[in-house]
Amino acid sequence: MVNRELPVISLFSGAGGLDCAVERCAEPPLSHDGSGSPLRVAVATDYDETALKTLANNFPHTKTLCRDIQSTTTQEILEAGGLSKGEATLVVGGPPCTPFSKSGFWIEEKRQSSDPDASLLDEYVRVIRESEPEAFVLENVQGLTYKTHKAQFDRLIAGLREAGYNPSYKVLLAAEYGVPQLRRRVFVVGRRDGKEYRFPASTHSGESERDRIIDHSKIPFVSVSSAISDLADGPAEDGEIVEGTYGELAAEVPPGQNYLWHTERYDGRNVFEWRSRYWTFLLRADPDRPSTTLQAQPGPWVGPFHWESVPNADGDMRARRFRTSEMKRIMTFPDEFTFVGGRREVQRQIGNAVPVHLGKVVVRSLMEQLGYLSPSGSQARQQSAKQLSIL
């Protein structure tokens, strides 16, 4: 293991989920202090001031630039990080996923893949081309790979190749790597030396929204209850109780069910038409399975909500939202990671982030393949995964 700091440029950094993965990528041991990681984020950029304040609080050694990437030159980024062209070991980042997310897909420009923010992919490629890092890691929502966005995705891959890299991409399910969340993200990884990056094999198996076949040679999925059970007696948060038009209906939905409970096919009230809403409407988490995806900007009745109900001011039982400490666990942020802002701002920052452990797995494997970290055997990986499952 190399005992020196290797600089990283972070783009579209948000609150620092991928940055946290970078600086805590070394395993074993699976540590919360990043022991053994040779990587340090030299400079991080984002236009979201609140999210960047969160990052700065957790990474005091990192220079931050709160700027629009479209008006920020690569040279400015390099200078802020004290770097010259070709000195960065990695460039990492996730361009805003809004143009490619299924959320809000009723908007015509999203269906037609004409969202102007999609051009931010080109800015990522521009910084790669002009800064010449040894390798890069880009992550985004799975929707980026859909046929609707084929032109943008093909342009991204072509641009990275023209910049001198050999990009590989794959959609990863976070739960298959020990994250207590059924969240799918696409990772695009490339090396400047032209060698192909090989994605790590999954360590966990279980039922997802698509798959029912379980590989019993792997570790079972980490359930959301096992991830957050020790936080059950934590303090209540403002805005956690689900009230309003559908507050009473939400409280009656059993764990693992959604609004469909209140259709003629189930045992609730016959209020809604079958499949007339999005799956996440009034969705309660199943404690025995990984959580469904935590969204950045959910509507007032969009889950997943906690499976347990709590009394409101009038003593009526109501569903409740996951608290910040619980959302951090579901996203595998360290407990000591702090967020700036109110509840909505915090949920937006968490929901926009990459699950930290999933990022760690990808970055770790890349650093192994680049020769900066010693390859850890399957036994060590399995042990680290088991340790994660009980944190």
Side-chain angles (χ1 to χ4, degrees):
M1 188 175 294
V2 179
N3 187 24
R4 62 189 176 92
E5 292 188 355
L6 303 174
V8 176
I9 296 172
S10 174
L11 308 177
F12 310 103
S13 309
L18 197 50
D19 305 69
C20 193
V22 161
E23 296 206 358
R24 298 165 184 260
C25 71
E27 59 178 2
L30 183 65
S31 63
H32 282 287
D33 62 2
S35 298
S37 175
L39 297 168
R40 291 295 179 269
V41 178
V43 56
T45 70
D46 203 288
Y47 69 90
D48 185 330
E49 183 177 359
T50 302
L52 211 55
K53 285 181 179 177
T54 291
L55 187 147
N57 284 353
N58 291 278
F59 303 92
H61 57 273
T62 299
K63 175 68 176 180
T64 57
L65 288 178
C66 189
R67 301 272 296 275
D68 182 347
I69 190 69
Q70 294 175 309
S71 59
T72 305
T73 68
T74 302
Q75 186 59 34
E76 288 174 312
I77 296 172
L78 289 170
E79 289 178 356
L83 301 172
S84 299
K85 182 177 182 179
E87 285 189 345
T89 301
L90 300 181
V91 167
V92 302
C97 61
T98 306
F100 315 111
S101 172
K102 289 190 293 185
S103 299
F105 212 66
W106 60 86
I107 301 174
E108 184 175 2
E109 67 178 16
K110 295 187 71 172
R111 292 198 307 270
Q112 296 179 351
S113 196
S114 58
D115 191 318
D117 286 344
S119 64
L120 294 177
L121 292 172
D122 299 326
E123 300 300 323
Y124 187 97
V125 173
R126 184 255 300 176
V127 175
I128 295 291
R129 183 178 65 251
E130 296 176 356
S131 65
E132 295 186 358
E134 189 169 352
F136 68 85
V137 177
L138 182 151
E139 63 83 24
N140 214 291
V141 293
Q142 180 185 9
L144 177 58
T145 63
Y146 291 172
K147 290 182 179 179
T148 306
H149 308 299
K150 186 177 186 303
Q152 283 85 348
F153 190 67
D154 287 350
R155 188 172 73 247
L156 168 67
I157 298 300
L160 292 168
R161 286 177 178 155
E162 291 171 2
Y165 295 80
N166 183 15
S168 301
Y169 68 90
K170 187 175 183 179
V171 174
L172 304 180
L173 175 61
E176 292 183 345
Y177 296 86
V179 176
Q181 186 177 182
L182 296 169
R183 189 184 190 98
R184 297 178 189 271
R185 305 290 289 192
V186 61
F187 283 81
V188 184
V189 184
R191 299 171 53 163
R192 192 175 64 200
D193 61 11
K195 293 182 180 180
E196 183 181 6
Y197 167 74
R198 302 178 304 280
F199 281 91
S202 62
T203 53
H204 293 63
S205 182
E207 288 191 7
S208 70
E209 70 279 14
R210 303 177 185 178
D211 302 316
R212 297 293 182 266
I213 299 175
I214 299 176
D215 184 346
H216 294 284
S217 69
K218 297 180 178 180
I219 303 169
F221 279 170
V222 179
S223 69
V224 64
S225 61
S226 67
I228 70 172
S229 58
D230 62 314
L231 303 174
D233 296 328
E237 291 184 352
D238 291 340
E240 72 172 35
I241 296 179
V242 182
E243 291 281 20
T245 305
Y246 302 109
E248 189 173 349
L249 293 176
E252 296 173 2
V253 174
Q257 298 284 348
N258 61 2
Y259 79 96
L260 293 176
W261 181 254
H262 292 301
T263 65
E264 61 181 1
R265 302 193 189 189
Y266 283 92
D267 296 333
R269 309 184 197 186
N270 185 10
V271 176
F272 303 107
E273 295 295 326
W274 182 256
R275 293 184 177 176
S276 59
R277 305 269 180 157
Y278 281 97
W279 174 256
T280 52
F281 188 69
L282 305 188
L283 177 64
R284 304 291 295 273
D286 183 338
D288 299 322
R289 301 184 62 200
S291 169
T292 54
T293 298
L294 296 182
Q295 296 190 31
Q297 295 177 301
W301 301 289
V302 171
F305 302 128
H306 198 284
W307 55 90
E308 294 180 348
S309 295
V310 294
N312 64 10
D314 297 324
D316 299 320
M317 299 304 290
R318 291 288 183 266
R320 76 165 175 86
R321 299 172 175 86
F322 285 113
R323 295 163 184 161
T324 298
S325 60
E326 295 166 335
M327 289 190 289
K328 287 196 296 184
R329 288 280 185 89
I330 293 171
M331 288 291 288
T332 58
F333 274 96
D335 287 346
E336 65 269 22
F337 199 96
T338 59
F339 286 87
V340 174
R343 180 185 172 84
R344 284 190 178 183
E345 292 174 308
V346 170
Q347 171 131 14
R348 175 174 54 80
Q349 293 172 59
I350 293 176
N352 281 330
V354 62
V356 173
H357 185 69
L358 181 60
K360 286 171 62 176
V361 169
V362 173
V363 174
R364 167 78 197 197
S365 67
L366 174 58
M367 293 302 287
E368 288 178 0
Q369 292 172 41
L370 289 172
Y372 289 112
L373 290 175
S374 300
S376 53
S378 59
Q379 184 176 359
R381 287 189 183 282
Q382 294 280 318
Q383 182 62 34
S384 293
K386 288 179 180 178
Q387 290 177 15
L388 176 76
S389 70
I390 62 175
L391 290 179

